[in-house]
Amino acid sequence: MRAPDSVEPGLIIPGRSNGLLDVPRWRFLLSLLVKKELRVRYRGSALGLLWSYVKPGVQLIVYYIAMGKFLGLERGIPNFVIYLFSGMVIVNFFGEVFGNTTKSIVVNADLVKKIYLPRELFPVASVWVAFIHLVPQLVVLIIAALISGWRPGLVNIAAILGALILTVLFALGLGLMFGAFNVLFRDAENFVELILMMAAWVSPVLYTWSHVASVLPDSLDWVYKLYPITQAVELNHVGFWIPTSAVQERYPDSTGPLIDALPMWAGAAFVISVLWLVVGQAVFRRLESRFAQEL
Amino acid sequence: MTRAIVVDQVVKQFTLRHTWSIKEYVVWNLTGRGGELKDTFLALDDVSLTVEQGESVGLLGRNGSGKSTLLKLISGVLRPDRGQVGVRGRVAGLIEVGAGFHPDLTGRENIYLNGSILGMTERDITARLDEIIAFSEIEGRFIDSEVKFYSSGMFLRLAFSVAAHSHPDVFLIDEILAVGDEPFQHKCLERIAELRKEGQTLVIVTHDLNLVSQVAERGIVLAGGKTVFDGPIEGAVGRLRGEG
Ligand SMILES: Nc1ncnc2c1ncn2[C@@H]1O[C@H](COP(=O)(O)OP(=O)(O)O)[C@@H](O)[C@H]1O
Ligand SMILES: [Mg+2]
């Protein structure tokens, strides 16, 4: 391509944007896209959003009885159901953001190929939709935690926010990349489903970090610890599980079976997620010019 | 004079076969990239043109000559493979019927969606909402129902109305005017004439040679992805009549 100065000053090159940096300028359109997405999703469902409260609620009760009581996991991990659910909320959120952003361009093909708007708006709208679906799960989790004697301090609240931000950064980075791939190769979607299936098991959701540490060779520790979703799950444990009464009794002055030196590792995972987002955005921008004609 | 649109030595190529599975792609790479995985097609072949601010241009040519592709490049939907496109200000394109509308949203919600895609603010849209609805002639009970129940004529009326009230700097109109009925087409022509008077830059694609002579002063004829004529509209129409 020739130097941009060959087009006279005052002329802009159509179809070029500053990517994610432009999104705030388009927030009204973004809100319309989010509304549209929710409308499409709850089309024909009379109870609408109510279902998203019922499902996690029932899920939590089933886990409490089946895993906590029948399998006896409660004996190893106090307040097991809070431990499990606070991790699962993160994994679900990750799956929803990553999965939806991957599909977002193809699903909005009609808009992408007929009219120009910054294409990053679609993945970002998917993040908001995922967040709206996270809220009911968080509400259920908070109720269960309060019943278990949850008394969070500032550090715990900060850990929860950190967990959510970490998850969004990493999932959006992946989603931008796979969302662009998905336009060119439709099987990217299936590939992502496979990754998400594994994601639920590789993070310390059903077991504790100490189980991993006893199996994994010490030299590979760091690989597991740098995986952003592992850190997000552990941060959420700090937020919801640690400040419950049974856990406080068992581990009065430590974080128990959680990863040691958590702030350091979480910080490193944060850096990785930001870098990953930059890479995802770069890939997206590279492939973006082909979206309209490939769809 | 200031230039509103600059198209400089633009080449646009399409691949005729586009969605591959990863398996096909990997196999193709492993087997030494033997055979053609895709056919390419040159839709625009070294096209250059400039449009001055306030000019109104008719873009003519047979089916498949590259007119819609050129409009999509100017509006930013497509990007050129070679050469450059530049525009001054905001572009609104009526390129395909239903572009920028979502079937599951109501007419009113779509006005907001479409208007904001065209760069209007929420306040702009609210201020012009009544005017937009009135111009589109869509009845009260339809404006709040989902646009998937609209006929293509209703779609066009609403789309034209939003675009025509969005005050873009450059207004692109593809063949779609043919979809509307006679009275609405007449109304659109009047509106276009008004916009011209206000100094709006216009590029109009149509097969209706009588219509284009009324709304454009300059004509550009495309054939096989190349510009074969650029001059007064009478000349362009004559050239098409002669060929046809
Ligand atoms: N997305 C696309 N993929 C492949 N070929 C395309 C695509 N869009 C347009 N073409 C081809 O490019 C040529 C020019 O198309 P178009 O610009 O729509 O012509 P016109 O509007 O003048 O009828 C046509 O032969 C058409 O088949
Ligand atoms: Mg066309």
Side-chain angles (χ1 to χ4, degrees), chain B residues 62-69 71-72 95 174-175 205 207:
Chain B
R62 315 279 290 267
N63 282 330
S65 57
K67 305 180 298 292
S68 299
T69 303
L71 291 193
K72 284 181 182 171
I95 295 184
D174 206 340
E175 272 175 73
V205 172
H207 286 295

Side-chain angles (χ1 to χ4, degrees), chain A residues 155-177:
Chain A
V155 174
N156 307 99
I157 300 295
I160 294 168
L161 290 178
L164 298 182
I165 292 170
L166 194 53
T167 309
V168 167
L169 291 177
F170 187 57
L172 182 57
L174 279 169
L176 283 171
M177 183 179 281

Side-chain angles (χ1 to χ4, degrees), chain A residues 69-266:
Chain A
K69 297 291 175 198
F70 295 171
L71 274 175
L73 292 173
E74 226 172 36
R75 266 161 291 162
I77 306 175
N79 279 341
F80 177 75
V81 75
I82 305 293
Y83 183 87
L84 172 68
F85 214 67
S86 51
M88 219 167 62
V89 160
I90 292 296
V91 170
N92 287 348
F93 185 45
F94 173 64
E96 181 111 349
V97 175
F98 186 13
N100 292 353
T101 47
T102 298
K103 291 186 204 132
S104 62
I105 303 295
V106 171
V107 166
N108 287 296
D110 264 352
L111 284 176
V112 173
K113 66 182 173 187
K114 290 181 179 173
I115 203 158
Y116 176 75
L117 62 164
R119 274 73 184 243
E120 279 83 359
L121 285 174
F122 300 112
V124 174
S126 300
V127 171
W128 282 106
V129 170
F131 185 74
I132 288 165
H133 285 111
L134 170 74
V135 171
Q137 297 181 44
L138 282 181
V139 169
V140 169
L141 175 59
I142 287 172
I143 292 171
L146 284 172
I147 293 172
S148 315
W150 184 51
R151 294 287 174 274
L154 267 181
V155 174
N156 307 99
I157 300 295
I160 294 168
L161 290 178
L164 298 182
I165 292 170
L166 194 53
T167 309
V168 167
L169 291 177
F170 187 57
L172 182 57
L174 279 169
L176 283 171
M177 183 179 281
F178 281 88
F181 287 158
N182 200 33
V183 175
L184 309 185
F185 312 98
R186 293 298 154 80
D187 14 19
E189 246 171 75
N190 300 319
F191 189 66
V192 169
E193 270 172 36
L194 208 67
I195 298 178
L196 289 178
M197 209 169 69
M198 293 188 291
W201 294 92
V202 296
S203 300
V205 174
L206 285 160
Y207 47 82
T208 59
W209 156 245
S210 48
H211 288 95
V212 184
S214 60
V215 180
L216 211 63
D218 284 353
S219 54
L220 286 178
D221 253 22
W222 60 275
V223 178
Y224 190 85
K225 286 177 175 170
L226 281 179
Y227 173 49
I229 300 309
T230 291
Q231 293 302 328
V233 165
E234 289 292 68
L235 285 175
N236 225 30
H237 286 150
V238 171
F240 286 105
W241 179 69
I242 291 285
T244 53
S245 41
V247 180
Q248 285 298 311
E249 270 164 42
R250 175 92 68 97
Y251 311 106
D253 20 56
S254 74
T255 51
L258 301 186
I259 287 174
D260 41 295
L262 198 58
M264 185 193 87
W265 287 109

Side-chain angles (χ1 to χ4, degrees), chain A residues 2 8 12 39 43 293, chain B residues 3 8 12 87 104 109:
Chain A
R2 302 189 308 158
E8 66 191 56
I12 53 164
R39 173 83 52 88
R43 185 173 35 197
Q293 70 212 54
Chain B
R3 302 194 288 177
D8 185 19
K12 184 68 202 175
V87 293
D104 291 306
E109 289 166 331

Side-chain angles (χ1 to χ4, degrees), chain A residues 26-41:
Chain A
W26 290 86
R27 58 189 177 276
F28 175 62
L29 179 53
L30 183 66
S31 74
L32 294 178
L33 292 176
V34 170
K35 197 160 119 187
K36 181 213 88 188
E37 201 113 318
L38 291 172
R39 173 83 52 88
V40 173
R41 198 125 26 133

Side-chain angles (χ1 to χ4, degrees), chain B residues 35-237:
Chain B
E36 265 304 286
L37 185 65
K38 49 189 177 177
D39 290 316
T40 56
F41 176 84
L42 212 52
L44 289 179
D45 184 6
D46 195 22
V47 170
S48 296
L49 55 95
T50 60
V51 177
E52 304 292 335
Q53 239 166 14
E55 215 175 2
S56 139
V57 177
L59 189 58
L60 307 176
R62 315 279 290 267
N63 282 330
S65 57
K67 305 180 298 292
S68 299
T69 303
L70 183 56
L71 291 193
K72 284 181 182 171
L73 286 163
I74 296 170
S75 71
V77 176
L78 292 175
R79 301 274 291 275
D81 294 316
R82 260 191 285 133
Q84 278 202 323
V85 179
V87 293
R88 190 181 306 276
R90 205 149 49 78
V91 181
L94 275 177
I95 295 184
E96 272 179 74
V97 179
F101 280 82
H102 197 278
D104 291 306
L105 298 180
T106 67
R108 192 185 301 270
E109 289 166 331
N110 267 299
I111 293 177
Y112 279 93
L113 180 68
N114 204 236
S116 55
I117 290 175
L118 296 179
M120 293 165 84
T121 65
E122 186 179 5
R123 197 181 313 161
D124 284 344
I125 302 169
T126 306
R128 294 181 207 151
L129 190 62
D130 292 337
E131 213 181 323
I132 292 173
I133 296 174
F135 187 91
S136 74
E137 294 174 13
I138 288 173
E139 297 165 51
R141 64 203 162 97
F142 274 111
I143 201 70
D144 287 308
S145 66
E146 291 160 28
V147 298
K148 62 183 165 202
F149 303 121
Y150 283 22
S151 67
S152 53
M154 288 165 76
F155 243 133
L156 164 75
R157 286 181 348 226
L158 194 58
F160 182 88
S161 185
V162 176
H165 290 85
S166 73
H167 295 295
D169 301 289
V170 175
F171 195 6
L172 312 173
I173 305 175
D174 206 340
E175 272 175 73
I176 63 166
L177 281 184
V179 181
D181 53 19
E182 191 79 54
F184 190 74
Q185 213 178 34
H186 190 73
K187 195 168 163 183
C188 290
L189 289 181
E190 276 176 9
R191 178 77 192 166
I192 289 172
E194 251 174 62
L195 293 174
R196 273 180 78 186
K197 244 182 262 154
E198 291 167 15
Q200 176 117 70
T201 311
L202 282 166
V203 180
I204 299 172
V205 172
T206 176
H207 286 295
D208 187 334
L209 298 178
N210 295 325
L211 185 147
V212 79
S213 327
Q214 292 172 41
V215 293
E217 68 240 13
R218 173 177 159 202
I220 295 174
V221 181
L222 284 181
K226 290 180 192 287
T227 38
V228 293
F229 179 90
D230 185 348
I233 188 67
E234 295 76 24
V237 167

